[in-house]
Amino acid sequence: KNQVEQSPQSLIILEGKNCTLQCNYTVSPFSNLRWYKQDTGRGPVSLTIMTFSENTKSNGRYTATLDADTKQSSLHITASQLSDSASYICVVSGGSQGNLIFGKGTKLSVKP
Amino acid sequence: DADVTQTPRNRITKTGKRIMLECSQTKGHDRMYWYRQDPGLGLRLIYYSFDVKDINKGEISDGYSVSRQAQAKFSLSLESAIPNQTALYFCATSDPKADRGRLAGSTDTQYFGPGTRLTVL
């Protein structure tokens, strides 16, 4: 079964600290992996998209990594800010129909 | 993203009622999508459309129908609403620069609307 699992479910960190969010997937065949940020009450916003051949991609203070062999990805946030408080969703494109398979998200809270 | 708008933003309705959720976009994108988001679950695709004449079922299309009235408008209808359709509904658009005509393998960025919170009593 095609699945995307994220950990931790929730995380609280202090402003200025770094953090890493994890994503494991069992989607096959694999096409690409995306990270989205979803603020409370708003739609998801794309952060990065990585294909099979890419193992790292950055977007400002956000850096995503992909290990297609172990089917794992991570999102690293550097020098966190209060505005980083949101849910971060890992999405894998693939499967027999090429659908986007969404993880349940990690809820990040950045405290002052 | 203000380029993708959804109406209404909130709606409470009763079981058995017909309801329509509307999505409009000013991005000029060909592809449009409807998703639902439930607490503790990831977003799930209901329907998607590659252009005005193309409509495709997603993962959970039962109980829903759609209409692509124009490139900029994509509506989702619940013919007879039931309580387990209570959820947050998102519309999204994308404009693939490659892989036209298929969803598989596409790397186009999806732009989401603000969502419609629907409650079915």
Side-chain angles (χ1 to χ4, degrees):
Chain A
K1 181 179 180 181
N2 291 320
Q3 287 186 314
V4 176
E5 301 287 343
Q6 292 187 244
S7 63
Q9 188 174 1
S10 62
L11 181 63
I12 300 174
I13 62 173
L14 292 176
E15 186 180 12
K17 297 296 186 182
N18 303 336
C19 68
T20 300
L21 314 180
Q22 300 291 341
C23 173
N24 297 334
Y25 61 92
T26 58
V27 178
S28 182
F30 171 85
S31 176
N32 57 76
L33 186 145
R34 308 155 185 240
W35 283 94
Y36 285 84
K37 177 187 179 187
Q38 184 176 19
D39 292 313
T40 301
R42 306 193 69 173
V45 174
S46 179
L47 295 175
T48 62
I49 300 176
M50 290 183 291
T51 60
F52 183 89
S53 60
E54 299 173 293
N55 54 27
T56 187
K57 183 166 279 190
S58 293
N59 178 356
R61 294 179 297 101
Y62 301 102
T63 299
T65 65
L66 172 64
D67 186 334
D69 291 332
T70 61
K71 298 187 178 181
Q72 295 180 326
S73 176
S74 65
L75 181 69
H76 186 74
I77 304 174
T78 303
S80 60
Q81 300 176 358
L82 298 179
S83 60
D84 292 332
S85 294
S87 287
Y88 291 84
I89 304 172
C90 176
V91 186
V92 178
S93 174
S96 59
Q97 296 185 334
N99 288 343
L100 296 182
I101 301 162
F102 288 74
K104 297 177 183 179
T106 292
K107 186 172 184 178
L108 175 66
S109 297
V110 180
K111 303 295 186 183
Chain B
D1 192 328
D3 297 326
V4 183
T5 57
Q6 294 183 233
T7 56
R9 293 294 314 278
N10 290 282
R11 181 71 183 268
I12 300 174
T13 190
K14 294 182 178 180
T15 297
K17 294 291 187 181
R18 183 179 187 275
I19 186 166
M20 178 181 288
L21 310 182
E22 299 191 359
C23 175
S24 295
Q25 52 114 347
T26 58
K27 287 186 166 296
H29 289 172
D30 285 331
R31 292 184 173 182
M32 298 187 73
Y33 311 78
W34 274 106
Y35 292 91
R36 66 177 279 177
Q37 185 175 39
D38 297 275
L41 297 178
L43 276 78
R44 291 179 292 169
L45 182 64
I46 306 173
Y47 271 95
Y48 62 99
S49 169
F50 282 177
D51 61 39
V52 175
K53 298 180 181 179
D54 178 82
I55 302 289
N56 303 280
K57 292 183 177 181
E59 179 186 354
I60 52 165
S61 59
D62 287 348
Y64 301 95
S65 63
V66 291
S67 173
R68 185 80 183 266
Q69 301 95 322
Q71 186 202 38
K73 296 185 182 295
F74 193 34
S75 300
L76 176 71
S77 293
L78 287 67
E79 297 300 324
S80 180
I82 55 177
N84 74 3
Q85 290 178 312
T86 293
L88 191 54
Y89 289 85
F90 287 102
C91 172
T93 75
S94 69
D95 181 24
K97 297 176 176 59
D99 303 321
R100 290 187 180 276
R102 64 190 183 101
L103 188 62
S106 173
T107 58
D108 49 315
T109 298
Q110 293 193 352
Y111 296 86
F112 286 80
T116 294
R117 186 168 295 281
L118 175 66
T119 302
V120 183
L121 301 176

